[in-house]
Amino acid sequence: MTHPTVLILLGPPGAGKGTQARMLEEKFGLVQLSTGDLLRAAVAAGTKAGKAAKAVMEAGELVSDAIVLAILKDRLTEPDTAKGVILDGFPRTPGQAEALDALLAEQDLKISAAVSIEVDDAAMVERVSGRYTCGSCGEGYHDSFKQPVNAGTCDKCGSTEFKRRADDNAETVGARLTAYHAQTAPLIAYYETRGVLRTVDGMSAIETIAADLDAVVTQVSA
Ligand code: AMP
């Protein structure tokens, strides 16, 4: 039996983790687990965790490991994750990385690859501040780089509802980049030491990055 793929996407806000995870989901039948999406859902639902996380997220800081781990563990018990997962935005601290190792070991699983999507910080503020998504299917768009072909209508599903994240503004992006460098970037060395680190150039075209990631996933799931 082949082992389920466990792919980690590392990179600052705006690196393209979500976009690429969605493409990998479609191509390989893996499930994207975005702790940001899970937390935003908890905030919208007004759960206890969501109430605790809301202000922290709006400030661009990191939510506590305890909350994030509880939400992630819960999601991992759902059966659709059996074939494999793409972790998007998790782990984000050394504590989360160690907790993930322990969680995977319990289930006799291991990390297939941790891919660092490398980008220039300076470009990230513009990338993140201009982005928005279809409110129905989640397709991503950008004010300067990718508008729908027919203005106001999603290319993918035809919906006319779009949404922007509350934390995708220039001020909060600065705090999110700082949090990334202080707390998440050290994980690059952590995974290098474990022999699972891969890097891709996140400044390339979306399709080029997708091809690079396809090659990694194809190799590690062989
Ligand atoms: P993202 O959608 O990954 O950009 O995450 C949005 C926000 O959710 C972050 O700025 C954090 O406040 C919070 N968040 C998401 N994932 C994590 C995580 N693994 N650990 C701590 N906070 C997180």
Side-chain angles (χ1 to χ4, degrees):
M1 201 191 98
T2 51
H3 261 82
T5 303
V6 178
L7 186 74
I8 296 170
L9 296 184
L10 288 170
K17 301 184 295 294
T19 304
Q20 295 297 335
R22 282 166 59 84
M23 293 166 89
L24 289 168
E25 260 195 322
E26 279 181 25
K27 176 141 191 215
F28 293 95
L30 304 171
V31 171
Q32 173 192 14
L33 294 190
S34 154
T35 43
D37 284 349
L38 294 171
L39 287 165
R40 279 184 287 281
V43 171
T47 64
K48 197 171 162 221
K51 285 191 179 119
K54 188 169 187 281
V56 180
M57 293 172 75
E58 279 167 4
E61 289 162 13
L62 293 187
V63 174
S64 74
D65 286 356
I67 290 182
V68 174
L69 281 163
I71 282 186
L72 183 88
K73 273 190 191 169
D74 214 38
R75 179 66 182 85
L76 278 172
T77 61
E78 289 175 34
D80 64 338
T81 59
K83 185 166 177 201
V85 292
I86 307 159
L87 297 172
D88 159 10
F90 179 91
R92 230 148 148 149
T93 64
Q96 290 179 14
E98 281 160 21
L100 176 65
D101 285 344
L103 194 68
L104 294 176
E106 269 169 28
Q107 303 180 29
D108 206 15
L109 293 173
K110 57 185 175 49
I111 293 163
S112 313
V115 185
S116 170
I117 306 181
E118 305 208 312
V119 291
D120 297 337
D121 254 27
M124 293 306 107
V125 176
E126 190 191 7
R127 267 205 203 175
V128 175
S129 334
R131 70 186 184 181
Y132 60 98
T133 52
C134 170
S136 177
C137 73
E139 181 71 358
Y141 294 96
H142 192 281
D143 294 327
S144 314
F145 310 131
K146 185 191 164 196
Q147 291 281 17
V149 176
N150 296 312
T153 307
C154 176
D155 297 343
K156 207 157 184 194
C157 76
S159 166
T160 53
E161 302 279 328
F162 294 89
K163 57 182 187 191
R164 280 177 201 266
R165 282 171 44 174
D167 60 349
D168 277 352
N169 57 72
E171 305 81 73
T172 313
V173 179
R176 289 161 63 199
L177 283 169
T178 302
Y180 175 78
H181 287 292
Q183 289 160 281
T184 311
L187 299 184
I188 295 172
Y190 181 90
Y191 289 119
E192 187 163 32
T193 309
R194 281 162 181 71
V196 291
L197 183 74
R198 305 298 183 95
T199 55
V200 301
D201 178 4
M203 298 310 290
S204 310
I206 289 179
E207 298 71 26
T208 310
I209 305 169
D212 291 346
L213 282 167
D214 275 15
V216 171
V217 177
T218 304
Q219 197 194 11
V220 298
S221 18

